[in-house]
Amino acid sequence: MYIKDDVCYAGKMEDGITVTEAVPLAGMMLLVTFSTGEKRLFDVTQLKGPVFQPLQDEEVFKNIELFHGVITWNNREIDVAPEMVYQNSYAYESCAV
C-alpha cells in the first residue's frame, strides 16, 4: 500500500504510472491511455465485489472521472488503482483503415 497526492492505493507503485485518459467501450471495456503513452484495453467485468455493482448501470459505467491519474466513477465512490488496470489489461494496437 502507498499514498500519493492524498490518495491511498492498494498494491505497489508501478514507477508512478497514472491514467491520462479512459474511454468507455461496449461490453464494459475501457480504452485506457497511461502516462507512459501506452494504450491498453481493460475489462471492467473483472472488478468484483459489492462496491463495483453500480458499474452494471451503463450510465454509471460511462461517466468516468479521472482523479490524480486514477479512474473513478459515481462521484469518486468507486475507483481502481492505475497499476491494477495496467497489470490486468492488454496492449491495444489501433488498426489504420
Side-chain angles (χ1 to χ4, degrees), residues 7-63:
V7 177
C8 182
Y9 299 90
K12 64 181 181 107
M13 184 183 287
E14 290 289 327
D15 295 324
I17 195 166
T18 61
V19 174
T20 59
E21 182 179 31
V23 178
L25 304 173
M28 292 197 63
M29 298 291 290
L30 295 177
L31 177 56
V32 182
T33 305
F34 292 91
S35 53
T36 60
E38 290 179 82
K39 289 185 182 282
R40 299 177 67 85
L41 289 170
F42 178 71
D43 182 355
V44 174
T45 63
Q46 63 187 310
L47 300 175
K48 304 295 182 194
V51 70
F52 298 109
Q53 273 310 105
L55 296 177
Q56 298 298 318
D57 180 330
E58 191 172 347
E59 287 305 309
V60 174
F61 170 70
K62 286 182 176 181
N63 287 307

Side-chain angles (χ1 to χ4, degrees), residues 73-85:
W73 294 271
N74 217 22
N75 295 317
R76 299 185 193 152
E77 290 178 5
I78 304 169
D79 63 45
V80 59
E83 62 273 8
M84 187 280 187
V85 175

